Amino acid sequence: EKTMAKRINTNFNYEYTENYTVDFKKGEYSESDVIIYHAVQEKFVTSRMNFFDIVGTLHASVRFSPYLRLPILGKNINSELAFVGIKELSASKKANKAIRKVMERIGNKIVKLTISPNGQKMLSKRPSQIVAMTDLPIEWTMIDGVPLAFTHDICRLPETPILSLLSVYEQAVFTPYIIPGDIISKTLVVFGNKDNAFVKAQEEVKSLSKTLGFHITTCLSIDELEQAISVTKPELLIIDAHGDVDENTHQTFLWVGNERLTGDIVVKRNLSARLVFLSACKTSTTCNTISTIGNAFFEAGANAVTTSYLPVYVNEATQLYSRLLRLLDATATKPIHKNWLAFMAYL
């Protein structure tokens, strides 16, 4: 069993060449090992890739968009990804500056190993949405020295967990959402703690609520949060709290008072809204996590969830969602932005 487990693991670590083939180095494996490798690949890897090809082809046929199949990346990029894992993220501005450089290295490597020069040229000249099914941070891809997320609307659907991928698709197709003109009055801002830094920064939000008319409440337990959402029934939910990653379960979560709000709780108690904005640290880490808290809000019915990969700072984060509320009040009744993503990108 250990031998087979080791071979399965080796299979998932292999990556494709630019010709979409696996390159066995001479003398690395015996002939019998190669035969076993192919058998294991057919059972575990091929079926998985067929699933994503079916989903990709379905999307292309329904949306009339091209489907670009990139080679599979494996262990060759793990050394770079190790520097942006959950343990490396901290609230230090110096550390974040270093992480940004690593993000650029990852973006350059993804381009080098998967996208041909013609493919890069096509992407740079095609100002349209890009739908990508991958756990890799494809939005960091560097085209002509600029991250792809700065030039294109990128919808990245994570490969894992597949259930989340399907629920997001179903939600988008079967429950379309038009943002109402009175969205501000249907907005709930939740303060998740009473830390001095948060309380001080939130004074502006409290003052703004009196002017604009959105709801605010402090929740120091998950029961209180459930009650607030049940009573208010918000269409835009903003949660201002601490966020973190559980290194044992590899899942992100929010702190509500001294209680952990995990994805399982979000889904079980249906704690969501059509639009969700999480003003919290590390709620959308893309490496070394099994699921993010953002995925849970999608599964509970959200159409759009805004989260942060990097840690955020209290004052700047509070100013950001305060600006969101001011701009939303001004633009909700005017055809300025074509959709919520365009508005968030502008913000």
Side-chain angles (χ1 to χ4, degrees):
E1 290 183 0
K2 286 185 179 180
T3 301
M4 182 56 71
K6 187 176 179 180
R7 282 173 172 156
I8 292 172
N9 186 57
T10 301
N11 269 267
F12 281 112
N13 278 330
Y14 264 109
E15 55 191 9
Y16 286 178
T17 66
E18 293 177 356
N19 294 321
Y20 298 83
T21 60
V22 176
D23 185 18
F24 289 102
K25 294 179 181 177
K26 192 174 182 180
E28 186 177 9
Y29 292 99
S30 66
E31 186 175 340
S32 61
D33 280 339
V34 172
I35 293 172
I36 293 173
Y37 163 78
H38 283 299
V40 173
Q41 186 191 47
E42 184 176 356
K43 185 172 182 179
F44 291 97
V45 181
T46 305
S47 59
R48 178 167 168 263
M49 294 315 300
N50 283 343
F51 169 79
F52 289 114
D53 278 340
I54 290 168
V55 174
T57 305
L58 176 65
H59 174 86
S61 64
V62 172
R63 300 295 183 186
F64 300 100
S65 62
Y67 177 43
L68 174 63
R69 171 79 136 73
L70 299 178
I72 300 171
L73 276 187
K75 60 184 178 182
N76 201 11
I77 202 169
N78 282 348
S79 57
E80 281 82 6
L81 293 175
F83 292 101
V84 291
I86 54 180
K87 291 184 179 180
E88 280 62 42
L89 301 176
S90 73
S92 161
K93 291 190 177 183
K94 184 178 179 181
N96 283 353
K97 193 174 182 181
I99 286 176
R100 289 174 189 274
K101 292 182 179 178
V102 176
M103 290 163 75
E104 290 181 8
R105 285 207 302 271
I106 292 171
N108 284 320
K109 193 157 192 177
I110 290 175
V111 169
K112 182 180 178 182
L113 296 177
T114 64
I115 306 177
S116 67
N118 284 338
Q120 295 177 47
K121 189 180 295 184
M122 180 272 291
L123 287 173
S124 65
K125 292 184 177 181
R126 184 179 175 82
S128 64
Q129 184 186 61
I130 294 174
V131 178
M133 289 180 293
T134 176
D135 286 338
L136 289 175
I138 198 80
E139 60 272 18
W140 301 350
T141 300
M142 303 291 282
I143 304 291
D144 295 330
V146 180
L148 201 60
F150 285 8
T151 57
H152 292 70
D153 162 7
I154 299 193
C155 174
R156 179 160 68 83
L157 306 175
E159 292 181 41
T160 51
I162 287 177
L163 286 176
S164 176
L165 171 69
L166 294 176
S167 66
V168 171
Y169 171 80
E170 182 181 29
Q171 181 75 5
V173 171
F174 296 108
T175 57
Y177 178 63
I178 297 175
I179 297 170
D182 61 347
I183 183 71
I184 286 291
S185 65
K186 298 175 179 177
T187 295
L188 172 64
V189 179
V190 175
F191 302 146
N193 60 63
K194 287 188 175 181
D195 294 358
N196 290 334
F198 279 78
V199 171
K200 186 176 179 181
Q202 289 161 356
E203 287 301 319
E204 177 189 355
V205 184
K206 293 178 180 178
S207 176
L208 198 59
S209 71
K210 295 176 183 177
T211 304
L212 300 182
F214 57 86
H215 305 276
I216 58 172
T217 185
T218 298
C219 296
L220 301 181
S221 71
I222 294 171
D223 285 341
E224 290 179 359
L225 176 62
E226 183 177 19
Q227 176 70 11
I229 293 174
S230 175
V231 171
T232 310
K233 294 181 173 55
E235 296 200 20
L236 167 58
L237 174 64
I238 298 175
I239 300 181
D240 186 0
H242 288 296
D244 212 336
V245 182
D246 187 321
E247 293 182 17
N248 294 319
T249 63
H250 292 270
Q251 295 184 345
T252 61
F253 64 91
L254 295 171
W255 285 107
V256 180
N258 294 320
E259 297 180 3
R260 288 189 178 194
L261 178 62
T262 64
D264 289 342
I265 295 173
V266 168
V267 175
K268 184 178 180 180
R269 298 201 184 189
N270 197 32
L271 306 177
S272 194
R274 283 302 188 92
L275 305 170
V276 177
F277 185 98
L278 303 180
S279 184
C281 294
K282 299 188 286 188
T283 46
S284 188
T285 56
T286 52
C287 306
N288 299 329
T289 54
I290 294 174
S291 187
T292 68
I293 191 76
N295 286 343
F297 283 104
F298 274 123
E299 288 185 49
N303 284 72
V305 183
T306 303
T307 60
S308 172
Y309 167 71
L310 292 170
V312 297
Y313 310 106
V314 175
N315 288 333
E316 288 89 335
T318 308
Q319 289 169 12
L320 181 65
Y321 76 77
S322 294
R323 183 167 179 258
L324 182 158
L325 292 164
R326 286 195 299 270
L327 289 176
L328 187 58
D329 181 59
T331 60
T333 57
K334 300 181 181 69
I336 296 175
H337 305 286
K338 63 181 180 179
N339 55 32
W340 183 251
L341 181 59
F343 173 67
M344 293 306 302
Y346 173 76
L347 178 70

